[in-house]
């Protein structure tokens, strides 16, 4: 018990100190508020599950087998830490189906673990933030997911973003009309690389992997790159592939989405029908979503998802369709950090009450409690140190204001309020304190206490 | 891939469906708000740490060795899931000491895992909710912890509770004055059983385990049971043990706490100096806290903690004193469930917008978005089913109101609002909708969207 141990975290894991955790909690709370406002309800599930449950839907040889944190528990059961929130949702819905009532709308913010090779900005432990509507095939649910994505990003403070939508049926119909339906998976996998390798790279791969002609490859790529307003793109598709049932359905659903979002007041430029979006199309079966920040395209999609036909295969015979998406919370925070959108503060309270006289601690805390009750967070400094040291502490942590009262102020019945940014100080009567401080702190950290 | 797998959770683990997760999230958010209002900042740490880190401060043979979820990771490192949030705090503060700045006030809500035998209401995975001020020996920090406990419980809706406080120095002083200082650990361990086994049981154990006389045992028990107001108890102690330095310091600190809380506006009956509180006194070195709900005493303390001299022993040479407590979140929820204080709802939104005509989905969502922007959560039903089925869904989940509009209403330009509790329905113009709904939903779930 005497040797000292070097304090450290495991590789691929990290601590969240206050300056990162304060904005992270704010993002999570904002996301929860938006989910709730649409009637999505929270659930939680265990971090540890039986391995056979977690891997039930995973193919042999899939990467996740190697990434799983898997071990024997004290009862010699083969268990593992969850690697996503989709498998737990499938297990949860199958297990509690009779009690839930359909449609079932849930959100789930939870930690997941994957033993990936650590890279810059990638961790082995991260937060997922999923929302899904299961138990309905109605396009109203698909449309709503796009609305939630929109309202999430605006609530988080973003204005310059675009939600790209596509529909598996449209692409299937296109390929069927070109008589290439049987090569869909391979062709879409190549098409997905368009932003990375460009049209010629995609064409080469399509020719090589799917054995199509250069003309066929060019036609697919040209279609995927169809330009124009949403109405124009949809009109072109309807004209060209209107006699293919799958494509027709996909076009109809995308059209409904555009129309409802417009009526509901969502700016048209924030939704784009984009036929080149096909990531995950071998998993998704209808609508797909990806969301890009115009001021940080290179960070990739910050909210992605889609519609699936059967969430609960392997756990129950009853097929359960659904639609949902996942907000890339840590990716958003990384982007906000890069764009200097995060306040550099490590205090959740905007006001520091300095302490001079230990025998007046009751008065300091009495006034501090009045501020807190008025929604103004107020920390009372713990020690009656020199005021300079206390103000230094306040500035280092990012407090907006300090309230200072020593024997002189108590004698006069005033509290000195210091605006720490402007370095201005003035005496204020107790009854005006809340109003004066509100002006100084503004909407500090959107403090909701 | 074809055999179906029974969906189930591990023994000792549980799912949180919406009806449990909605109040759980509300409690967590309220707790966070109170912590922040006092300037406690959030942190988070990894769920997985090196076993040598987690067990650095644990004695050989301690129960936790058997309870640990411990395994080898892919890099063959000996790792384990955290079993509390105190060890991670000690590691965190040691590792980041130079950047943090003292005093450091943090809260941490996080899941911990212990492979205990599952019992009713006890799980192997549970949430801890800790708050601590480290880096100061000032009694102001101890006093503030009591205030936070008070404001936490009132913010959570409790009024009938008492925070019991004691101080290790008082008990040490008492025992020293009785010339029993060297038997303190054994005697306090026996005294701790007072509520369970009663005075005679404690006396028997003290005689047997600490080899004291029956008279000595009776004297300690009588002291622990000292009755009276806080002022009376403290006056008795000062009189009797005033020449013992340790006891004097303890009495002084407890007296300061009573006085500051009173001045700060906290009702006197909610703080009780209780010399019989000694749980954890072989760990704590100063103030100790336990908190009891008067309407559910048998659930035990819902918020406990104390002062310690050195959090970071084993990780760093610099001794780091601190004081803190832990809110028993799951215990509180269990008690609220027992007392029927939890709303039986599984929707986080109070209003259901029924759907009749798919071609009016844009209007439904347009109005629903107006409600959401006004802070009224509104779910739009996904399918244009019969209104009866939609209202049944609303009632089952606990919605307060339904907004219903079909072709007739659209023709008239009104929205029918149904109060689901009163079963009253009336047509309302769009501009009055928010006011009418606000009256029906009241303070539904304290929805903060």
């Amino acid at each position: 018990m005497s040797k000292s141990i070097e304090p450290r975290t495991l590789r691929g894991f990290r601590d969240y100190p206050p300056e990162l955790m304060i904005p992270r909690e704010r993002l999570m709370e904002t996301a929860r508020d938006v989910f709730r406002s649409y009637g999505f309800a929270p659930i939680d599930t265990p971090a540890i599950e039986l391995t056979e449950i977690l891997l039930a839907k995973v193919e042999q040889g899939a990467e996740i087998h190697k990434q799983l944190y898997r071990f024997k528990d004290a009862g010699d059961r083969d268990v593992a830490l969850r690697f996503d929130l989709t498998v737990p949702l499938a297990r949860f819905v199958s297990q509690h189906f009779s009690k839930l009532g359909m449609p079932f709308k849930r959100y789930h913010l939870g930690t997941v673990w994957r033993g990936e090779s650590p890279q810059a900005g990638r961790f082995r432990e991260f937060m997922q933030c999923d929302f899904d509507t299961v138990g309905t095939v109605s396009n109203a649910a698909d449309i709503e997911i796009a609305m939630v994505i929109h309202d999430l990003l605006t609530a988080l403070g973003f204005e310059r973003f675009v939600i790209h939508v596509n529909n598996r049926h449209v692409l299937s119909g296109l390929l069927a009309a070109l008589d290439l339906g049987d090569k869909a998976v391979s062709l879409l996998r190549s098409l997905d690389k368009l932003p990375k390798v460009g049209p010629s790279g995609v064409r080469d791969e399509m020719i090589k992997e799917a054995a199509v002609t250069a003309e066929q490859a060019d036609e697919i790529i040209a279609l995927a790159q169809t330009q124009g307003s949403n109405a124009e793109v949809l009109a072109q598709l309807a004209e060209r592939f209107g006699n293919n049932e799958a494509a027709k359905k996909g076009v109809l659903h995308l059209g409904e989405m555009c129309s409802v979002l417009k009526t509901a007041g969502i700016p048209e430029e924030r939704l784009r029908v984009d036929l080149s979006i096909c990531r995950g199309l071998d998993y998704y079966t209808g609508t797909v979503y990806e969301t890009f920040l115009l001021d940080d395209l290179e960070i990739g999609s910050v909210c992605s998802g889609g519609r699936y036909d059967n969430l609960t295969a392997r756990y129950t015979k009853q097929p359960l369709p659904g639609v949902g998406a996942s907000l890339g919370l840590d990716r958003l925070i990384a982007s906000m950090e890069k764009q200097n959108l995060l306040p550099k503060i490590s205090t959740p309270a905007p006001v520091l009450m300095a302490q001079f006289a230990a025998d007046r601690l009751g008065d300091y805390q009495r006034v501090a409690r009045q501020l807190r009750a008025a929604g103004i967070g107020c920390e009372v400094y713990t020690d009656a140190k020199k005021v300079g040291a206390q103000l230094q502490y306040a500035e280092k942590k990012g407090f907006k204001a300090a309230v200072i009262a020593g024997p002189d102020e108590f004698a006069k019945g005033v509290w000195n309020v210091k605006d720490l940014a402007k370095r201005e100080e003035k005496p204020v009567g107790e009854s005006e304190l809340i109003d004066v401080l509100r002006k100084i702190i503004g909407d500090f950290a959107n403090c909701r206490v």
Side-chain angles (χ1 to χ4, degrees), chain A:
Chain A
M1 287 289 288
S2 64
K3 205 176 116 270
S4 93
I5 287 165
E6 192 206 336
R8 61 208 194 276
T9 47
L10 284 159
R11 198 163 158 249
F13 289 78
R14 71 182 300 188
D15 287 325
Y16 286 88
E19 61 271 24
L20 284 177
M21 197 62 191
I22 289 170
R24 200 171 193 243
E25 278 198 343
R26 200 155 74 244
L27 253 69
M28 290 192 274
E29 284 174 10
T30 304
R32 287 192 189 102
D33 279 348
V34 172
F35 295 144
R36 291 174 192 154
S37 78
Y38 275 86
F40 290 81
I43 68 164
D44 203 5
T45 64
I48 309 175
E49 301 238 17
L50 287 164
T51 304
E52 71 160 0
I53 298 267
L54 292 179
L55 293 182
K57 293 168 69 158
V58 176
E59 281 170 50
Q60 298 286 338
E63 197 67 7
I64 202 68
H65 282 272
K66 275 183 263 168
Q67 297 174 346
L68 211 56
Y69 281 90
R70 181 176 179 173
F71 56 99
K72 293 281 173 89
D73 75 1
D76 209 34
R77 282 167 292 257
D78 183 355
V79 301
L81 299 180
R82 65 187 176 201
F83 62 90
D84 75 1
L85 300 178
T86 303
V87 172
L89 173 64
R91 198 263 311 142
F92 177 93
V93 176
S94 305
Q95 189 170 334
H96 307 290
F97 187 82
S98 60
K99 274 176 274 167
L100 292 178
M102 293 293 140
F104 177 62
K105 295 165 73 169
R106 83 86 177 81
Y107 66 89
H108 191 176
L109 275 72
T111 308
V112 303
W113 294 266
R114 291 186 197 178
E116 297 178 273
S117 309
Q119 301 166 19
R122 294 205 87 143
F123 293 94
R124 289 175 166 169
E125 173 179 71
F126 54 98
M127 176 70 65
Q128 283 209 332
C129 178
D130 284 15
F131 52 107
D132 289 80
T133 301
V134 299
T136 177
V137 294
S138 167
N139 192 40
D142 302 53
I143 292 168
E144 191 175 68
I145 294 291
M147 293 180 62
V148 175
I149 296 174
H150 177 270
D151 289 353
L152 267 176
L153 284 164
T154 52
L156 295 173
F158 293 96
E159 296 192 349
R160 293 179 29 81
F161 63 90
V162 180
I163 306 165
H164 293 237
V165 288
N166 194 6
N167 190 301
R168 168 74 197 233
H169 295 300
V170 173
L171 281 177
S172 304
L174 298 181
L175 294 176
L178 296 174
D179 230 0
L180 295 169
D182 54 331
K183 293 171 176 174
V185 172
S186 165
L187 288 169
L188 295 181
R189 201 168 286 153
S190 301
L191 189 58
D192 189 36
K193 297 176 185 157
L194 196 55
K196 263 196 199 157
V197 302
S200 71
V202 171
R203 182 176 53 188
D204 292 350
E205 188 179 304
M206 284 180 168
I207 294 167
K208 190 176 156 211
E209 299 292 332
V212 296
T213 66
E215 290 70 30
Q216 287 173 317
D218 284 338
E219 193 162 3
I220 299 167
I221 294 165
L223 280 167
Q225 293 183 310
T226 305
Q227 297 294 317
S229 70
N230 292 337
E232 286 162 6
V233 171
L234 291 171
Q236 278 187 52
L237 287 172
E239 194 181 323
R240 199 152 162 205
F241 302 97
N243 51 0
N244 176 294
E245 281 309 311
K248 217 159 101 181
K249 186 177 168 191
V251 170
L252 182 72
H253 279 187
L254 289 171
E256 272 181 19
M257 184 178 288
C258 295
S259 149
V260 170
L261 263 65
K262 187 180 170 188
T263 308
I266 289 175
E268 284 187 77
E269 67 272 18
R270 290 197 180 137
L271 183 75
R272 184 186 303 163
V273 175
D274 177 355
L275 304 180
S276 74
I277 293 295
C278 51
R279 199 177 67 181
L281 273 188
D282 47 350
Y283 172 65
Y284 293 119
T285 54
T287 314
V288 283
Y289 316 83
E290 294 197 357
T291 310
F292 299 95
L293 303 179
L294 294 177
D295 296 321
D296 190 5
L297 287 170
E298 68 183 13
I299 205 155
S301 173
V302 295
C303 194
S304 312
R307 173 166 281 284
Y308 40 84
D309 282 341
N310 190 4
L311 175 70
T312 48
R314 297 305 308 285
Y315 303 120
T316 167
K317 278 171 189 158
Q318 173 138 23
L320 198 70
V323 59
S326 188
L327 181 72
L329 205 87
D330 290 323
R331 202 176 269 202
L332 272 179
I333 289 190
S335 179
M336 291 169 90
E337 205 173 357
K338 205 164 70 176
Q339 294 180 62
N340 257 321
L341 298 174
L342 295 183
K344 300 227 176 336
I345 53 166
S346 56
T347 171
V351 177
L352 183 79
M353 173 82 69
Q355 189 192 147
F356 275 86
D359 61 337
R360 300 310 287 257
L361 193 55
D363 285 304
Y364 295 129
Q365 284 287 12
R366 176 180 58 78
V367 169
R369 276 188 95 224
Q370 287 170 11
L371 300 181
R372 292 174 200 132
I376 301 172
C378 177
E379 170 170 345
V380 176
Y381 195 77
T382 49
D383 298 75
K385 283 190 191 165
K386 283 189 182 154
V387 70
Q390 298 188 47
L391 291 177
Q392 210 173 8
Y393 171 90
E395 283 174 17
K396 187 185 168 192
K397 298 227 164 186
F399 284 87
K400 292 283 181 193
V403 175
I404 305 162
D408 289 354
E409 287 74 23
F410 283 118
K412 288 185 204 152
V414 295
W415 299 79
N416 273 350
V417 172
K418 181 160 190 178
D419 182 327
L420 293 169
K422 294 187 182 161
R423 296 174 179 271
E424 287 168 7
E425 192 172 331
K426 66 170 177 184
V428 171
E430 201 170 303
S431 60
E432 309 153 69
L433 208 46
I434 289 172
D435 288 342
V436 171
L437 285 169
R438 276 219 181 100
K439 273 179 205 134
I440 296 175
I441 65 175
D443 63 346
F444 175 88
N446 302 314
C447 173
R448 298 193 304 180
V449 171

